[in-house]
Amino acid sequence: MNHDRRSQRTRQAITDALIELMVDQTYNTITVQEIIDRANVGRSTFYSHYADKDALLSSVFEQFGKELELTSTRAYQLLPIRELFEHVAENHRQFKAFLWGSGTDFLFRAVHGHLDIHFEKRLQEKLGEEKPPVLVKMVAHHITGVLMTLIQWWLDEKKPFTPEEMDTYFHQLVVPGVEQMFGIRL
Amino acid sequence: MNHDRRSQRTRQAITDALIELMVDQTYNTITVQEIIDRANVGRSTFYSHYADKDALLSSVFEQFGKELELTSTRAYQLLPIRELFEHVAENHRQFKAFLWGSGTDFLFRAVHGHLDIHFEKRLQEKLGEEKPPVLVKMVAHHITGVLMTLIQWWLDEKKPFTPEEMDTYFHQLVVPGVEQMFGIRL
DNA sequence: TTCAAATCTGAACACTTTGTTCAATATCGA
DNA sequence: TCGATATTGAACAAAGTGTTCAGATTTGAA
């Protein structure tokens, strides 16, 4: 009665096909035909799993977001940046595909949503209730932005620094500004 | 012999139509039909001016980039951030359209290209030749990233701060980090 | 091994969008 | 007014989208 695994495999094949295609092509230019050809899947099968090409992309992001979360929930400090960069390095191909082929938008919006909240909480813990919430939100957004920007740059430039170095640079660039802004030590 | 003005007007109408449509819709979902309907322009006219919908978008960005440059070339310090935010506020509708409807990618890539170089030069002036060029590039990219992120946030949140305040915050967030990174005073 | 449920297949279909072509029409400066 | 240039819109082929459905395949459970 449980044929889920078969579906699962099919979905995985479709997902993988999209990611592979995004390595060389922009999301917009990819057709459903190309996806199902590469995934070796029938047209109607595709549409029985996903309403849309966009629905597929969303689900890829979702899955991706969960992986990211696994990395970032074992968080001590601001964020385990070194581990994050290591994760990025391991999934180099996937990240590249997203950052180049997909519309960064989609990814940026999604990741911002998650991480903004994470950083906002951490900041609130450090600050108590004394600072204006809008300002805290802005700074949280800022921190996420820096992180995303650095990851993007790092991959574009073919990882000229190690994850450890990126960790160091990230903290050097971000921490003094935030400390100055709120008059605290992080 | 010079019927340029007529063409000019037509192009402007098309450009404006796209921007207006991007206020409510994503670039991808906009059809050429919608554009020419709103611009009151014939189908063949559109294609005699632009090869593509993408070509149109590029040209819009180009024009847009020039406006930005006008603002940012009268640069003393790192960048006249207050004036920049004022410019953004004045062209609120346009920026919103770009940041929401267009694929931030396109814009981000384009703007990064311009501003990265600007900041890289400014940094080099301050630093002399002593620092590794990759590092300087990274920090320049970082500065641009912060700027873009803050602008995006500011518009999404419906401008909760004045341009002056955003100027202050930008400098508070960015300057200490860069100073710490390079061991200098900006 | 057998069987029924779940899943996949692929061809056929109507529909939308794209980009081209071209003869007719409109506009502008001289 | 004339002539060069720009615009128009209808017609067209090509490509892609999303749906439908009858038949084939795969699966786990008996």
Side-chain angles (χ1 to χ4, degrees):
Chain A
M1 207 161 271
N2 185 359
H3 295 233
D4 281 357
R5 282 185 209 156
R6 210 169 142 209
S7 297
Q8 206 55 35
R9 251 180 300 149
T10 306
R11 292 175 74 94
Q12 193 61 49
I14 294 173
T15 297
D16 291 348
L18 176 61
I19 293 175
E20 279 308 306
L21 287 167
M22 284 201 300
V23 172
D24 318 304
Q25 265 179 91
T26 300
Y27 171 71
N28 297 323
T29 70
I30 297 171
T31 67
V32 173
Q33 197 58 50
E34 288 176 289
I35 297 171
I36 66 183
D37 284 350
R38 183 176 283 241
N40 262 309
V41 146
R43 190 169 191 64
S44 44
T45 307
F46 177 90
Y47 281 107
S48 76
H49 283 290
Y50 303 100
D52 239 19
K53 209 180 63 175
D54 283 0
L56 169 59
L57 185 62
S58 292
S59 104
V60 170
F61 279 142
E62 219 169 289
Q63 183 187 321
F64 194 61
K66 277 174 198 158
E67 286 174 29
L68 253 186
E69 220 157 312
L70 286 181
T71 310
S72 49
T73 34
R74 341 173 207 127
Y76 312 97
Q77 351 125 46
L78 215 55
L79 201 85
I81 304 296
R82 202 201 70 237
E83 294 177 29
L84 184 59
F85 273 94
E86 277 163 1
H87 177 77
V88 172
E90 278 162 29
N91 301 66
H92 190 279
R93 208 174 168 70
Q94 254 188 78
F95 269 92
K96 251 286 166 90
F98 285 147
L99 291 175
W100 269 111
S102 79
T104 322
D105 316 335
F106 223 144
L107 183 64
F108 268 44
R109 301 265 172 202
V111 174
H112 261 293
H114 277 280
L115 286 184
D116 281 8
I117 291 169
H118 173 86
F119 285 126
E120 202 185 329
K121 274 189 201 149
R122 301 255 146 213
L123 284 175
Q124 288 289 12
E125 284 166 21
K126 293 276 180 183
L127 290 170
E129 302 288 320
E130 38 185 325
K131 300 292 176 185
V134 213
L135 200 58
V136 178
K137 272 193 210 304
M138 184 180 81
V139 174
H141 192 78
H142 158 74
I143 297 173
T144 307
V146 172
L147 189 54
M148 299 268 79
T149 305
L150 285 183
I151 289 175
Q152 193 174 13
W153 177 86
W154 192 56
L155 288 180
D156 280 354
E157 298 298 317
K158 316 216 163 118
K159 298 177 283 189
F161 300 120
T162 65
E164 285 82 3
E165 287 170 323
M166 289 309 287
D167 183 311
T168 307
Y169 293 146
F170 172 81
H171 283 94
Q172 282 184 355
L173 286 172
V174 163
V175 172
V178 177
E179 288 180 344
Q180 160 134 356
M181 178 115 232
F182 291 129
I184 54 160
R185 288 215 70 77
L186 281 179
Chain B
M1 206 163 272
N2 186 0
H3 293 233
D4 280 357
R5 281 185 210 159
R6 213 170 140 206
S7 297
Q8 204 55 36
R9 251 180 300 151
T10 306
R11 292 175 75 94
Q12 193 60 48
I14 294 174
T15 296
D16 290 349
L18 177 60
I19 294 175
E20 279 308 307
L21 287 167
M22 284 202 298
V23 172
D24 316 304
Q25 265 179 91
T26 301
Y27 171 72
N28 296 324
T29 70
I30 297 171
T31 66
V32 173
Q33 197 58 51
E34 289 176 288
I35 297 171
I36 64 182
D37 283 351
R38 183 175 282 242
N40 262 308
V41 146
R43 190 167 192 68
S44 43
T45 307
F46 177 90
Y47 282 107
S48 77
H49 283 289
Y50 303 99
D52 239 20
K53 208 178 67 174
D54 283 359
L56 169 59
L57 185 62
S58 293
S59 103
V60 171
F61 279 141
E62 217 169 292
Q63 183 188 320
F64 195 60
K66 278 176 197 157
E67 286 173 31
L68 253 185
E69 219 156 315
L70 287 181
T71 309
S72 52
T73 34
R74 342 176 206 123
Y76 312 98
Q77 352 125 46
L78 216 55
L79 202 82
I81 303 294
R82 203 200 67 238
E83 294 178 30
L84 184 59
F85 272 93
E86 277 163 0
H87 176 79
V88 171
E90 278 162 30
N91 301 67
H92 190 280
R93 207 172 169 70
Q94 253 188 83
F95 269 91
K96 251 283 166 97
F98 285 146
L99 291 174
W100 268 111
S102 81
T104 324
D105 316 336
F106 223 142
L107 183 65
F108 268 44
R109 300 267 172 200
V111 175
H112 261 294
H114 276 281
L115 285 184
D116 282 6
I117 291 170
H118 172 86
F119 286 125
E120 202 186 330
K121 274 190 200 150
R122 302 253 148 213
L123 283 175
Q124 288 290 10
E125 285 166 21
K126 294 275 181 184
L127 290 169
E129 303 288 319
E130 37 184 326
K131 299 292 175 185
V134 213
L135 202 57
V136 178
K137 272 192 210 307
M138 185 180 80
V139 174
H141 192 77
H142 159 75
I143 298 173
T144 307
V146 173
L147 189 54
M148 299 268 76
T149 304
L150 285 184
I151 290 175
Q152 193 175 11
W153 177 86
W154 193 56
L155 288 181
D156 280 354
E157 299 298 316
K158 315 216 164 120
K159 297 178 282 187
F161 301 120
T162 64
E164 284 82 3
E165 286 171 324
M166 289 309 287
D167 182 312
T168 306
Y169 294 146
F170 171 79
H171 283 94
Q172 281 184 357
L173 287 172
V174 162
V175 172
V178 176
E179 288 181 344
Q180 160 136 352
M181 179 116 228
F182 291 130
I184 53 160
R185 288 215 71 77
L186 281 179

